[in-house]
Coordinates of all heavy atoms in Angstrom, one line a residue:
S1 N 0.8 -1.2 0.0 CA 0.0 0.0 0.0 C 0.9 1.2 0.0 O 2.0 1.2 0.4 CB -0.9 0.0 1.2 OG -0.2 -0.1 2.4
G2 N 0.3 2.3 -0.5 CA 1.1 3.6 -0.5 C 1.9 3.7 -1.8 O 2.5 4.8 -2.0
F3 N 1.8 2.7 -2.7 CA 2.5 2.8 -4.0 C 2.0 1.7 -4.8 O 1.4 0.7 -4.3 CB 4.0 2.7 -3.8 CG 4.5 1.3 -3.4 CD1 5.0 0.4 -4.3 CD2 4.5 1.0 -2.1 CE1 5.4 -0.9 -3.9 CE2 4.9 -0.3 -1.6 CZ 5.3 -1.2 -2.5
S4 N 2.2 1.7 -6.1 CA 1.8 0.7 -7.1 C 3.0 -0.2 -7.3 O 4.1 0.2 -7.7 CB 1.3 1.3 -8.4 OG 1.1 0.3 -9.3
I5 N 2.8 -1.5 -7.2 CA 3.9 -2.5 -7.5 C 4.2 -2.5 -9.0 O 5.2 -3.1 -9.3 CB 3.5 -3.9 -7.0 CG1 2.3 -4.5 -7.7 CG2 3.4 -3.9 -5.4 CD1 2.1 -5.9 -7.3
K6 N 3.4 -2.0 -9.8 CA 3.7 -1.9 -11.2 C 4.7 -0.8 -11.5 O 5.3 -0.8 -12.6 CB 2.4 -1.5 -12.0 CG 1.4 -2.6 -12.1 CD 0.1 -2.1 -12.8 CE 0.4 -1.8 -14.2 NZ -0.9 -1.4 -14.9
S7 N 5.0 0.0 -10.6 CA 6.0 1.1 -10.8 C 7.3 0.9 -10.1 O 8.2 1.8 -10.2 CB 5.4 2.4 -10.2 OG 4.1 2.7 -10.9
W8 N 7.5 -0.2 -9.4 CA 8.7 -0.5 -8.7 C 9.2 -1.9 -8.9 O 8.4 -2.8 -9.0 CB 8.5 -0.3 -7.2 CG 8.2 1.2 -6.8 CD1 7.0 1.8 -6.8 CD2 9.1 2.2 -6.4 NE1 7.1 3.1 -6.5 CE2 8.4 3.4 -6.2 CE3 10.5 2.2 -6.2 CZ2 9.0 4.5 -5.8 CZ3 11.1 3.3 -5.8 CH2 10.4 4.5 -5.6
L9 N 10.5 -2.0 -9.0 CA 11.1 -3.3 -8.9 C 10.9 -3.9 -7.5 O 11.1 -3.3 -6.5 CB 12.6 -3.2 -9.2 CG 13.4 -4.5 -9.0 CD1 13.1 -5.5 -10.2 CD2 14.9 -4.2 -9.0
M10 N 10.3 -5.1 -7.5 CA 10.0 -5.8 -6.2 C 10.9 -7.0 -6.1 O 11.3 -7.7 -7.1 CB 8.5 -6.2 -6.2 CG 7.6 -5.1 -6.4 SD 7.6 -3.9 -5.0 CE 7.1 -5.0 -3.6
E11 N 11.2 -7.4 -4.8 CA 12.1 -8.5 -4.5 C 11.6 -9.3 -3.4 O 10.9 -8.7 -2.5 CB 13.5 -7.9 -4.2 CG 14.1 -7.2 -5.4 CD 15.4 -6.5 -4.9 OE1 15.5 -5.8 -3.9 OE2 16.4 -6.7 -5.7
W12 N 11.9 -10.5 -3.4 CA 11.8 -11.4 -2.2 C 13.1 -11.8 -1.7 O 14.0 -12.1 -2.4 CB 11.0 -12.7 -2.6 CG 9.5 -12.5 -2.7 CD1 8.8 -12.4 -3.8 CD2 8.6 -12.5 -1.6 NE1 7.5 -12.3 -3.5 CE2 7.3 -12.4 -2.1 CE3 8.7 -12.6 -0.2 CZ2 6.2 -12.4 -1.3 CZ3 7.6 -12.6 0.6 CH2 6.3 -12.4 0.0
F13 N 13.3 -11.8 -0.3 CA 14.4 -12.2 0.4 C 14.0 -13.2 1.4 O 12.9 -13.3 1.8 CB 15.1 -11.0 1.1 CG 15.9 -10.1 0.2 CD1 15.2 -9.1 -0.6 CD2 17.3 -10.1 0.2 CE1 15.9 -8.3 -1.4 CE2 18.0 -9.2 -0.6 CZ 17.3 -8.3 -1.4
R14 N 15.0 -13.9 2.0 CA 14.8 -14.7 3.1 C 16.1 -14.6 4.0 O 17.2 -14.3 3.5 CB 14.5 -16.2 2.8 CG 15.7 -17.0 2.2 CD 15.3 -18.4 1.9 NE 16.4 -19.1 1.3 CZ 16.2 -20.3 0.8 NH1 15.0 -20.9 0.8 NH2 17.2 -21.0 0.3
Q15 N 15.9 -14.9 5.3 CA 17.0 -15.0 6.2 C 16.9 -16.2 7.1 O 16.0 -16.3 7.9 CB 17.1 -13.7 7.1 CG 18.4 -13.6 7.9 CD 18.6 -12.2 8.4 OE1 17.7 -11.4 8.5 NE2 19.8 -12.0 8.8
A16 N 17.8 -17.2 6.9 CA 17.8 -18.4 7.7 C 18.5 -18.1 9.0 O 19.3 -17.1 9.1 CB 18.6 -19.5 6.9
P17 N 18.2 -18.9 10.0 CA 18.8 -18.6 11.3 C 20.3 -18.6 11.3 O 20.9 -19.5 10.7 CB 18.3 -19.8 12.2 CG 17.0 -20.2 11.5 CD 17.2 -20.0 10.1
G18 N 20.9 -17.6 11.8 CA 22.4 -17.5 11.8 C 23.0 -17.1 10.5 O 24.3 -17.1 10.4
K19 N 22.2 -16.8 9.5 CA 22.8 -16.5 8.2 C 22.4 -15.1 7.7 O 21.5 -14.5 8.2 CB 22.3 -17.6 7.1 CG 22.8 -19.0 7.4 CD 22.4 -19.9 6.3 CE 23.0 -21.3 6.6 NZ 22.6 -22.2 5.5
Q20 N 23.1 -14.7 6.7 CA 22.8 -13.4 6.1 C 21.5 -13.4 5.2 O 21.1 -14.5 4.8 CB 24.0 -12.9 5.2 CG 25.2 -12.5 5.9 CD 26.3 -11.9 5.0 OE1 26.6 -12.5 4.0 NE2 26.8 -10.8 5.4
R21 N 20.9 -12.3 5.1 CA 19.7 -12.2 4.2 C 20.1 -12.5 2.8 O 21.1 -12.0 2.3 CB 19.1 -10.8 4.4 CG 17.7 -10.8 3.9 CD 16.9 -9.5 4.4 NE 16.8 -9.5 5.9 CZ 16.1 -8.6 6.5 NH1 15.5 -7.6 5.9 NH2 16.0 -8.7 7.8
E22 N 19.3 -13.3 2.1 CA 19.5 -13.8 0.8 C 18.5 -13.3 -0.2 O 17.3 -13.5 0.1 CB 19.6 -15.3 0.8 CG 19.7 -16.0 -0.6 CD 19.5 -17.5 -0.5 OE1 19.0 -18.0 0.5 OE2 19.9 -18.2 -1.5
L23 N 18.9 -12.7 -1.3 CA 18.0 -12.4 -2.4 C 17.5 -13.6 -3.1 O 18.3 -14.4 -3.6 CB 18.7 -11.4 -3.4 CG 17.9 -11.1 -4.6 CD1 16.6 -10.3 -4.3 CD2 18.7 -10.3 -5.6
L24 N 16.2 -13.8 -3.2 CA 15.6 -15.0 -3.8 C 15.2 -14.7 -5.3 O 15.4 -15.6 -6.1 CB 14.4 -15.4 -3.1 CG 14.6 -15.8 -1.6 CD1 13.2 -16.1 -1.0 CD2 15.6 -16.9 -1.5
G25 N 14.8 -13.5 -5.6 CA 14.4 -13.2 -7.0 C 13.7 -11.9 -7.0 O 13.5 -11.2 -6.0
M26 N 13.4 -11.5 -8.3 CA 12.8 -10.1 -8.5 C 11.6 -10.2 -9.4 O 11.4 -11.1 -10.2 CB 13.9 -9.2 -9.2 CG 15.2 -9.1 -8.5 SD 16.3 -8.1 -9.5 CE 17.7 -8.0 -8.4
M27 N 10.8 -9.2 -9.3 CA 9.7 -8.9 -10.3 C 9.9 -7.5 -10.8 O 9.9 -6.5 -10.1 CB 8.4 -9.1 -9.6 CG 7.2 -8.6 -10.4 SD 6.9 -9.7 -11.9 CE 6.4 -11.2 -11.1
T28 N 10.1 -7.4 -12.1 CA 10.3 -6.1 -12.8 C 9.0 -5.4 -12.9 O 7.9 -5.9 -12.8 CB 11.0 -6.2 -14.1 OG1 10.1 -6.9 -15.0 CG2 12.3 -7.1 -14.0
T29 N 9.1 -4.1 -13.3 CA 7.9 -3.3 -13.4 C 7.0 -3.7 -14.6 O 5.8 -3.5 -14.6 CB 8.3 -1.8 -13.6 OG1 9.2 -1.7 -14.7 CG2 8.9 -1.2 -12.4
D30 N 7.6 -4.4 -15.6 CA 6.9 -4.9 -16.7 C 6.4 -6.3 -16.5 O 5.8 -6.9 -17.5 CB 7.7 -4.8 -18.0 CG 8.8 -5.7 -18.1 OD1 9.2 -6.2 -17.0 OD2 9.4 -5.9 -19.2
G31 N 6.5 -6.9 -15.3 CA 5.9 -8.2 -15.0 C 6.8 -9.4 -15.3 O 6.3 -10.5 -15.3
T32 N 8.1 -9.2 -15.4 CA 9.0 -10.3 -15.6 C 9.7 -10.7 -14.3 O 10.2 -9.9 -13.6 CB 10.2 -9.8 -16.6 OG1 9.6 -9.4 -17.9 CG2 11.1 -11.0 -16.9
D33 N 9.6 -12.0 -14.0 CA 10.3 -12.5 -12.9 C 11.7 -13.0 -13.3 O 11.9 -13.6 -14.3 CB 9.5 -13.7 -12.2 CG 9.2 -14.8 -13.1 OD1 8.9 -14.6 -14.3 OD2 9.3 -16.0 -12.7
K34 N 12.7 -12.7 -12.5 CA 14.1 -12.9 -12.9 C 15.0 -13.0 -11.7 O 14.6 -12.7 -10.6 CB 14.5 -11.9 -13.9 CG 14.5 -10.5 -13.3 CD 14.8 -9.4 -14.3 CE 16.2 -9.4 -14.8 NZ 16.5 -8.3 -15.7
N35 N 16.3 -13.3 -12.0 CA 17.4 -13.3 -11.1 C 17.1 -14.2 -9.8 O 17.5 -13.8 -8.7 CB 17.7 -11.9 -10.6 CG 18.3 -11.1 -11.7 OD1 18.6 -11.6 -12.8 ND2 18.6 -9.8 -11.5
Y36 N 16.6 -15.4 -10.0 CA 16.4 -16.3 -8.9 C 17.7 -16.8 -8.5 O 18.6 -17.1 -9.2 CB 15.5 -17.5 -9.4 CG 14.1 -17.2 -9.6 CD1 13.6 -17.0 -10.9 CD2 13.2 -17.1 -8.5 CE1 12.3 -16.6 -11.1 CE2 11.9 -16.8 -8.7 CZ 11.4 -16.5 -10.0 OH 10.1 -16.2 -10.2
S37 N 17.8 -17.0 -7.2 CA 19.0 -17.6 -6.6 C 19.1 -19.0 -7.0 O 18.1 -19.7 -7.2 CB 19.1 -17.4 -5.1 OG 18.1 -18.2 -4.5
E38 N 20.4 -19.5 -7.0 CA 20.6 -20.9 -7.4 C 19.9 -21.9 -6.4 O 19.5 -23.0 -6.8 CB 22.1 -21.2 -7.5 CG 22.8 -20.6 -8.6 CD 22.2 -21.1 -10.0 OE1 21.9 -22.3 -10.1 OE2 22.1 -20.3 -10.9
S39 N 19.8 -21.5 -5.1 CA 19.2 -22.3 -4.1 C 17.7 -22.6 -4.3 O 17.2 -23.5 -3.8 CB 19.5 -21.8 -2.7 OG 19.0 -20.5 -2.6
V40 N 17.0 -21.7 -5.0 CA 15.6 -21.8 -5.2 C 15.1 -21.9 -6.6 O 13.9 -22.2 -6.9 CB 14.8 -20.7 -4.5 CG1 15.3 -20.5 -3.0 CG2 15.0 -19.3 -5.2
K41 N 16.0 -21.7 -7.6 CA 15.7 -21.8 -9.0 C 15.0 -23.1 -9.3 O 15.5 -24.2 -9.0 CB 16.9 -21.6 -9.8 CG 16.7 -21.3 -11.3 CD 18.0 -21.0 -12.0 CE 18.7 -19.8 -11.5 NZ 20.0 -19.6 -12.2
G42 N 13.9 -23.0 -10.0 CA 13.1 -24.1 -10.4 C 12.1 -24.6 -9.4 O 11.2 -25.4 -9.7
R43 N 12.2 -24.1 -8.2 CA 11.2 -24.4 -7.1 C 10.4 -23.3 -6.7 O 9.2 -23.5 -6.3 CB 12.0 -25.0 -5.9 CG 12.8 -26.2 -6.1 CD 13.4 -26.8 -4.8 NE 14.3 -25.9 -4.2 CZ 14.1 -25.4 -3.0 NH1 13.1 -25.8 -2.2 NH2 15.0 -24.6 -2.4
F44 N 10.9 -22.1 -6.7 CA 10.2 -20.9 -6.3 C 9.8 -20.0 -7.5 O 10.6 -19.9 -8.5 CB 11.0 -20.0 -5.4 CG 11.3 -20.6 -4.0 CD1 11.0 -21.9 -3.7 CD2 11.8 -19.8 -3.0 CE1 11.2 -22.5 -2.4 CE2 12.0 -20.3 -1.7 CZ 11.7 -21.6 -1.4
T45 N 8.7 -19.4 -7.5 CA 8.2 -18.6 -8.6 C 7.6 -17.3 -8.0 O 6.7 -17.4 -7.1 CB 7.2 -19.3 -9.5 OG1 7.7 -20.5 -10.0 CG2 6.8 -18.4 -10.7
I46 N 8.0 -16.1 -8.5 CA 7.4 -14.9 -8.1 C 6.4 -14.5 -9.2 O 6.6 -14.6 -10.4 CB 8.5 -13.8 -8.0 CG1 9.6 -14.2 -7.0 CG2 7.9 -12.4 -7.8 CD1 10.8 -13.3 -7.0
S47 N 5.3 -14.0 -8.7 CA 4.2 -13.5 -9.5 C 3.6 -12.3 -8.8 O 3.9 -11.9 -7.7 CB 3.2 -14.5 -9.8 OG 2.5 -15.0 -8.6

């Protein structure tokens, strides 16, 4: 809320216990999902 997700690059991250925060993937302003991490590629999908 407060902005349109169509106007901003959006990202998902995760942080496992005791580990650094990890970028999982992105959703571009034109609706393309990309840049999945190797650890989740093929299993996780951003929409």
Side-chain angles (χ1 to χ4, degrees):
S1 58
F3 69 99
S4 172
I5 62 172
K6 293 175 63 178
S7 300
W8 294 86
L9 176 71
M10 301 294 298
E11 299 173 312
W12 280 101
F13 285 76
R14 71 181 178 190
Q15 189 163 21
K19 296 186 177 180
Q20 290 186 311
R21 197 164 294 187
E22 174 189 16
L23 173 65
L24 300 177
M26 303 176 176
M27 172 64 69
T28 69
T29 56
D30 67 345
T32 301
D33 59 318
K34 61 188 293 186
N35 289 358
Y36 290 100
S37 71
E38 291 296 323
S39 60
V40 306
K41 192 177 299 180
R43 299 187 299 122
F44 290 14
T45 304
I46 298 169
S47 61

